[in-house]
Amino acid sequence: MEIQEGLSLAKKTTMRIGGIAQYFVEILTKEDTEKAFQFSRDKKVPLIVLGSGSNTIFADGVIDAVVVRVLAQNVVQCEDVFTVEAGANLQNFINKLAILGYDLSPLTGIPGTVGGAIFGNAGQGPVGIWIDHYIESVEAFVGGVWKIFSSQECRFSYRESIFKSFHSPIIWSAKLRVPRGDPKVIQYTIEQLLKKRIETQPHIRTAGSCFKAIGGVPAWQRIDAAGLRGKKFG
C-alpha cells in the first residue's frame, strides 16, 4: 500500500474537476484497508471512500482527508451465488455474467463500482429493481471492525442502505444470487437498455443523477412541472 500526498482528484473523477487530496491511497487487500484506516486515525483526518469517480465532485483547494479507492475486484462463483469485491466495475460484471448465462440486466447502464452501487442501492426508479434484489450479504469494514451484514441488516430501501449511516464505511465485497437465463437473450436485453439510455440521457461527462423521486413521482416530472427543463445558470 502506497500513500500518496497532494494528489489531484481531478485525475480520479469522471468530471475531471476538484482539488487536491492531502492523502490518497488505493487498496487491494484487507490488510491495506486496516492500514489506511489506522493512518487516518493517526493523522486525525477523515477517511473518504471513492469508487470509480462517477457521480462525484470534489471542491477546489486541499481536501484534508485520506481518500481511499478500493481496487479489489475478484469474482468467485459457487453455483448461482457470486462473491464480488467492491472495486469491480458494475457494467463489466454484468457483461461477464451475461456470457455465463446469469442475468443482472436490470442494472444495465449504471456507472461506477459494485461497492458504490451497494452503498446507494443503485437500480431502476422508485418502483424498479435495485441491486439489493440480488444481495445475500455484504462484508464491510466499519469503525475498525470487519463485519458481514445480511441483506436484511443492510436496511436497503430506495437509494438507501445502512452504510450511509456509518462514518466512513469501506464496503469490501458482496454475495449476489443471480438468476439464470439464455445468454443471447440477456445480451440482447443489455444492448437494448444501453441503446435507450444513450438516446434519452446525456452522453457526456456528468455528475450523474442527483435527484430522488418524491412520493413515487419521478424527479423529471416535477422538474418539467416547474418549467425547469433545460434551465441553466452561468
Side-chain angles (χ1 to χ4, degrees), residues 10 25 70-71 84 86 90 113 123 134-135 141 153 179-180 188 194 202 219:
V25 58
V70 179
L71 295 184
V84 54
L90 180 59
T113 61
Y134 307 97
I135 288 178
F141 190 67
E153 289 174 324
R180 294 174 183 261
Y188 177 78
L194 287 174

Side-chain angles (χ1 to χ4, degrees), residues 16-228:
R16 300 293 188 266
I17 61 177
I20 302 298
Q22 183 69 44
Y23 305 103
F24 181 85
V25 58
E26 295 178 325
I27 56 181
L28 278 167
T29 67
K30 287 185 174 181
E31 183 181 10
D32 288 344
T33 304
E34 294 165 3
K35 288 181 178 178
F37 174 80
Q38 188 57 50
F39 182 82
S40 71
R41 285 286 183 91
D42 293 343
K43 293 294 183 179
K44 297 181 180 179
V45 295
L47 185 150
I48 299 174
V49 182
L50 174 67
S52 65
S54 61
N55 294 22
T56 306
I57 295 179
F58 283 97
D60 292 331
V62 176
I63 310 300
D64 191 17
V66 179
V67 180
V68 170
R69 167 173 282 171
V70 179
L71 295 184
Q73 50 190 298
N74 291 324
V75 179
V76 177
Q77 179 182 3
C78 182
E79 297 183 346
D80 294 343
V81 176
F82 293 82
T83 300
V84 54
E85 292 179 329
N89 178 278
L90 180 59
Q91 188 60 54
N92 289 345
F93 181 53
I94 293 169
N95 293 339
K96 290 177 181 178
L97 262 60
I99 295 172
L100 298 174
Y102 289 91
D103 190 2
L104 278 181
S105 62
L107 304 181
T108 294
I110 297 171
T113 61
V114 170
I118 293 170
F119 184 82
N121 196 17
Q124 299 171 2
V127 294
I129 294 176
W130 313 322
I131 195 169
D132 73 302
H133 179 80
Y134 307 97
I135 288 178
E136 290 198 338
S137 64
V138 175
E139 184 174 16
F141 190 67
V142 180
V145 178
W146 288 101
K147 182 176 178 180
I148 295 178
F149 297 81
S150 67
S151 181
Q152 292 74 24
E153 289 174 324
C154 290
R155 299 181 191 174
F156 288 117
S157 60
Y158 171 55
R159 298 296 181 267
E160 296 292 340
S161 74
I162 194 174
F163 303 106
K164 288 190 175 185
S165 69
F166 294 136
H167 180 66
S168 302
I170 301 179
I171 295 173
W172 185 255
S173 67
K175 287 187 177 181
L176 284 71
R177 183 172 293 277
V178 186
R180 294 174 183 261
D182 184 325
K184 292 183 179 179
V185 173
I186 298 170
Q187 289 176 320
Y188 177 78
T189 302
I190 290 172
E191 291 170 3
Q192 293 303 112
L193 289 171
L194 287 174
K195 180 181 178 181
K196 181 179 179 181
R197 178 172 282 254
I198 291 172
E199 291 174 348
T200 59
Q201 298 183 21
H203 198 56
I204 56 176
R205 288 178 181 171
T206 169
S209 175
C210 50
F211 299 103
K212 288 177 65 176
I214 302 175
V217 179
W220 69 266
Q221 289 185 10
R222 296 189 183 274
I223 292 169
D224 269 1
L228 293 174

